[in-house]
């Protein structure tokens, strides 16, 4: 089976979770090629149509798998190949993009949403809910002391891993900072998740005492699932599918958007980390079948259904 992945190339590279998923599909025998969309806004995306058609003629895929609504809308403008679209969150959560995503969903052969909440927002009934999977060979439990040494972190300091770079507004660093100001514990450092390799991120999730997500909105955040795979305690706002993913995992907490509540949950998670070490998040993640290999298999079944 040959699949052309259509996604944004505006950042200069393929988003990590799209690349990871594509690699997982390739490992299961799917031949993958890419078309990277360059341009801003609906008109910028649609100007890619002539070049996309050329790529389709060159690669001759069995189908197209587009990621995000605007890429999906572009892909459906050609009618020679069936299109599967995965909607990841901002394409549905942001009002300005939701209508365009709904049009793309209507035109596509099939739609995948990374959480049920996203599908409900555009009343998509005939669709699949498949979160992005986690490479559990990269994100796996490692001894904390060893991980700290490899990353050059202080052995006695408590580290909290923030979900992204501090300058991304949707990740809400200001709320994280305000929450930490309310915690009366010395020797804590908030680590910015920026500039690390995938392997280093896995080490960070083992070296840090807790993982913190204070996002305004999410679809199905990889950060939380990767932390689960590493058995890292988690504190997260109630966004996307986080509540469903962590379930009743001890050491993991859902919060409101109030700094006082987040501070309280951080304190609880740090206390858990001090007394118990790690969570049983990895076991839950595997039971939910959110490892990348299983997720790839589910996506291939969608492809097969579309092509049958």
């Amino acid at each position: 089976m040959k699949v052309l992945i259509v996604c944004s190339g505006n950042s200069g590279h393929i988003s990590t979770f799209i690349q990871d998923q594509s690699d997982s599909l390739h490992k299961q025998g799917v031949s993958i090629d890419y078309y990277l969309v360059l341009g801003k806004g609906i008109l910028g995306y649609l100007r890619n149509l002539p070049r996309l058609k050329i790529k389709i003629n060159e690669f001759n895929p069995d189908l197209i798998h587009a990621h995000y609504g605007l890429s999906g809308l572009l892909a459906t403008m050609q009618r020679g190949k069936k299109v599967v679209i995965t909607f990841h969150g901002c394409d549905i959560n942001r009002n300005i993009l939701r209508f365009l995503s709904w049009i793309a969903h209507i035109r596509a052969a099939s739609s995948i949403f990374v959480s049920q909440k996203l599908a409900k927002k555009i009343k998509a009934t005939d669709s699949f809910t498949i979160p992005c999977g986690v490479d559990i060979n990269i994100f796996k439990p490692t001894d904390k002391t060893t991980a700290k040494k490899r990353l050059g972190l202080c052995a006695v300091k408590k580290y909290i891993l923030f979900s992204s770079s501090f300058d991304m507004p949707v990740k809400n660093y200001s709320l994280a900072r305000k929450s930490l100001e309310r915690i009366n514990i010395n020797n804590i450092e908030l680590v910015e998740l920026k500039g690390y390799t995938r392997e280093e991120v896995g080490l960070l999730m083992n070296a840090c005492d807790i993982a913190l997500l204070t996002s305004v909105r999410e679809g199905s955040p990889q950060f939380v699932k990767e932390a689960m795979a590493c058995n890292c305690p988690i504190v997260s706002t109630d966004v996307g599918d986080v509540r469903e993913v962590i379930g009743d995992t001890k050491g993991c907490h859902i919060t409101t958007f109030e700094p006082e509540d987040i501070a309280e949950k951080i304190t609880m998670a740090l206390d858990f980390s001090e007394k118990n070490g790690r969570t049983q998040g990895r076991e839950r993640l595997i039971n939910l079948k959110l490892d990348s290999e299983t997720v790839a298999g589910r996506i291939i079944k969608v492809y097969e259904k579309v092509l049958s």
Side-chain angles (χ1 to χ4, degrees):
M1 184 187 302
K2 297 172 66 177
V3 175
L4 180 65
I5 304 295
V6 176
C7 59
S8 173
N10 288 323
S11 64
H13 59 84
I14 301 170
S15 295
T16 302
F17 55 89
I18 296 175
Q19 184 69 66
D20 287 350
Q21 185 178 101
S22 301
D23 291 345
S24 297
L25 291 166
H26 180 68
K27 288 178 182 178
Q28 297 200 28
V30 179
S31 179
I32 299 288
D33 202 350
Y34 301 90
Y35 178 83
L36 301 185
V37 183
L38 299 176
K40 298 289 186 178
I42 179 63
L43 293 180
Y45 269 66
L46 294 184
R47 289 192 186 102
N48 284 262
L49 186 57
R51 290 193 296 115
L52 175 59
K53 289 181 176 180
I54 292 172
K55 182 65 178 182
I56 292 170
N57 289 333
E58 290 175 350
F59 183 54
N60 191 28
D62 295 298
L63 58 80
I64 296 171
H65 186 172
H67 288 268
Y68 290 98
L70 285 183
S71 292
L73 185 59
L74 165 66
T76 63
M77 291 300 167
Q78 60 75 42
R79 305 308 293 174
K81 301 293 181 180
K82 292 182 177 180
V83 178
V84 174
I85 305 173
T86 293
F87 297 91
H88 290 275
C90 64
D91 44 8
I92 304 295
N93 288 325
R94 294 175 60 188
N95 293 333
I96 195 170
L97 296 176
R98 188 178 303 158
F99 178 67
L100 296 174
S101 293
W102 176 77
I103 294 174
H105 162 66
I106 294 299
R107 293 175 61 87
S110 188
S111 294
I112 297 171
F113 295 85
V114 296
S115 74
Q116 292 182 357
K117 290 181 181 178
L118 297 178
K120 289 178 180 178
K121 284 187 176 182
I122 61 171
K123 298 180 172 59
T125 54
D126 186 17
S127 63
F128 298 87
T129 301
I130 307 178
C132 291
V134 175
D135 187 337
I136 58 175
N137 294 311
I138 293 177
F139 295 93
K140 58 187 177 182
T142 301
D143 176 70
K144 180 184 285 189
T145 301
T146 302
K148 281 188 171 184
K149 284 183 179 179
R150 290 178 63 181
L151 292 167
L153 300 179
C154 176
V156 297
K157 184 178 287 187
K158 294 185 182 297
Y159 290 96
I160 298 175
L161 181 61
F162 187 66
S163 64
S164 185
S165 58
F166 292 157
D167 59 0
M168 290 187 66
V170 72
K171 301 301 182 179
N172 209 358
Y173 164 67
S174 63
L175 178 59
R177 179 175 47 79
K178 290 176 184 177
S179 302
L180 287 175
E181 289 171 354
R182 288 160 170 78
I183 297 176
N184 188 26
I185 300 177
N186 296 323
N187 215 18
I188 294 180
E189 181 176 332
L190 186 64
V191 179
E192 182 180 18
L193 187 54
K194 181 179 181 180
Y196 294 98
T197 66
R198 301 296 283 153
E199 289 73 17
E200 288 171 338
V201 175
L203 281 176
L204 269 173
M205 288 180 168
N206 282 282
C208 290
D209 295 272
I210 67 172
L212 175 64
L213 186 143
T214 53
S215 295
V216 175
R217 57 182 178 269
E218 291 279 357
S220 177
Q222 288 298 98
F223 177 77
V224 168
K225 288 176 284 186
E226 290 165 357
M228 291 283 282
C230 296
N231 287 335
C232 182
I234 297 165
V235 174
S236 174
T237 48
D238 194 3
V239 290
D241 64 352
V242 176
R243 183 178 292 275
E244 290 79 9
V245 169
I246 69 173
D248 58 356
T249 305
K250 293 181 179 180
C252 297
H253 303 275
I254 296 291
T255 75
T256 66
F257 288 90
E258 295 299 323
E260 293 78 12
D261 184 43
I262 296 171
E264 180 183 355
K265 300 296 173 54
I266 289 174
T267 302
M268 292 169 64
L270 287 173
D271 183 63
F272 177 91
S273 178
E274 181 72 25
K275 293 178 179 178
N276 302 281
R278 311 303 279 174
T279 73
Q280 296 297 315
R282 184 178 181 86
E283 180 180 351
R284 177 169 175 80
L285 187 85
I286 292 172
N287 288 338
L288 290 173
K289 299 181 179 179
L290 291 178
D291 60 284
S292 57
E293 182 178 349
T294 302
V295 167
R298 293 175 64 189
I299 292 172
I300 289 172
K301 289 181 179 178
V302 176
Y303 294 165
E304 291 171 344
K305 182 176 180 180
V306 167
L307 294 173
S308 64

